[in-house]
Amino acid sequence: MRKPIIAGNWKMNNTKAEAKVLIQELIPLVKNAESDVVICVPYTVIETAAALTKGTNIKVGAENVAWADKGAFTGEVSAQMLKEVGAEYVIIGHSERRQYFGETDDSVNKRTVQALKNGFTPIICVGETLDEREGGVTEQVCKRQIIGAYAGISASDAEKTVVAYEPVWAIGTGRTATSGQAQETISYIRGVLKELYGKTAEKVRIQYGGSMNPSNVSELMAQPDIDGGLIGGASLKAADFSKVVNYK
Ligand code: PEP
């Protein structure tokens, strides 16, 4: 009932020239995908990516969005600017943004509100650090992040969002959560969304992210609450990303 969504997060990788090569290689490899396919790319690459993927089944996303419409926000990029160059999705609250750039549950909420107001599909990232998992507070952390991200957001808007559960200790480390761990926490997150939105929670797609790759994708995707993946490292090679996309 929920269409799977596989999204690449290129992070700070690929110039326009490099992006062109990767996207041209990727297009034929994912053209028969049964999942939604998204590539979230650096700001400087969005326009190129949108032009190259026009008329294909690949959608383009940004890796962040400003919470304000315009003005004195040095270094930020507005929703209108992103729309103009062809982005339709946006990653919000990635753990690298939280860890290195001071994103908080409040800034994640404000960016999410702005993304929804401008017709984007936000991919809202949540997840615990290793210390938090070992300290037994994974659920508390995810609950706080979800409640914070969705503050003031209506059920009809929540339905349009995607959540990415990304245990921080699994991102870029080669250490994947077991399918059981991922399912357990994602089902817990869906429960929190149920407390907030009732039945609408069944419609929200929740991805797993954290070293997802061609060899573990099938087992992760077989879990009942895992509706897709947010893929970092493995999205930088067309062969790997397409194998994740075509996981069946
Ligand atoms: C990510 O950046 O969201 C991510 C999951 O990275 P990786 O797949 O490299 O762990």
Side-chain angles (χ1 to χ4, degrees):
M1 128 196 178
R2 294 182 296 266
K3 187 172 185 196
I5 171 167
I6 306 289
N9 172 17
W10 285 10
K11 312 193 188 198
M12 196 173 72
N13 292 293
N14 290 327
T15 61
K16 283 207 283 185
E18 289 164 340
K20 198 171 169 200
V21 174
L22 175 50
I23 291 169
Q24 278 170 340
E25 204 184 327
L26 187 62
I27 290 170
L29 297 177
V30 299
K31 69 177 196 303
N32 298 319
E34 288 174 25
S35 316
D36 285 340
V37 184
V38 182
I39 50 171
C40 297
V41 303
Y43 294 132
T44 51
V45 172
I46 292 174
E47 192 161 21
T48 305
L52 287 166
T53 56
K54 200 167 181 220
T56 76
N57 58 333
I58 302 175
K59 302 286 186 199
V60 176
E63 299 176 15
N64 204 354
V65 62
W67 61 69
D69 289 338
K70 64 195 290 189
F73 297 96
T74 303
E76 291 284 299
V77 177
S78 76
Q80 194 191 356
M81 293 166 183
L82 295 178
K83 209 187 274 183
E84 186 182 39
V85 289
E88 296 178 65
Y89 287 74
V90 61
I91 296 174
I92 298 175
H94 191 278
S95 68
E96 288 149 18
R97 299 293 319 167
R98 295 179 190 257
Q99 193 179 345
Y100 305 129
F101 302 100
E103 293 284 349
T104 62
D105 295 337
D106 182 53
S107 65
V108 169
N109 173 248
K110 282 153 72 180
R111 293 182 196 278
T112 303
V113 168
Q114 182 71 348
L116 287 164
K117 193 177 101 183
N118 286 278
F120 286 83
T121 300
I123 300 178
I124 303 165
C125 302
V126 299
E128 80 288 358
T129 63
L130 186 57
D131 277 356
E132 289 164 343
R133 176 156 285 264
E134 288 175 346
V137 292
T138 295
E139 293 187 349
Q140 254 169 273
V141 170
C142 292
K143 184 171 193 170
R144 190 204 74 223
Q145 291 175 334
I146 290 286
I147 289 176
Y150 285 87
I153 291 174
S154 67
S156 61
D157 270 345
E159 194 177 322
K160 299 172 198 152
T161 65
V162 173
V163 174
Y165 166 59
E166 301 206 300
V168 179
W169 46 273
I171 298 178
T173 58
R175 187 176 161 185
T176 319
T178 64
S179 53
Q181 283 172 323
Q183 164 59 26
E184 187 182 29
T185 310
I186 287 177
S187 144
Y188 174 79
I189 289 169
R190 197 176 304 287
V192 175
L193 288 170
K194 240 176 236 167
E195 283 169 28
L196 295 175
Y197 298 113
K199 276 194 189 143
T200 296
E202 293 297 336
K203 298 185 184 161
V204 176
R205 293 182 292 178
I206 309 182
Q207 300 172 312
Y208 167 76
S211 302
M212 200 190 239
N213 60 46
S215 62
N216 57 30
V217 59
S218 301
E219 190 185 333
L220 287 158
M221 289 302 293
Q223 303 302 311
D225 281 288
I226 302 183
D227 306 316
L230 184 57
I231 321 296
S235 71
L236 297 175
K237 290 204 173 109
D240 286 348
F241 189 57
S242 64
K243 279 185 200 138
V244 174
V245 167
N246 301 315
Y247 62 90
K248 274 188 183 153

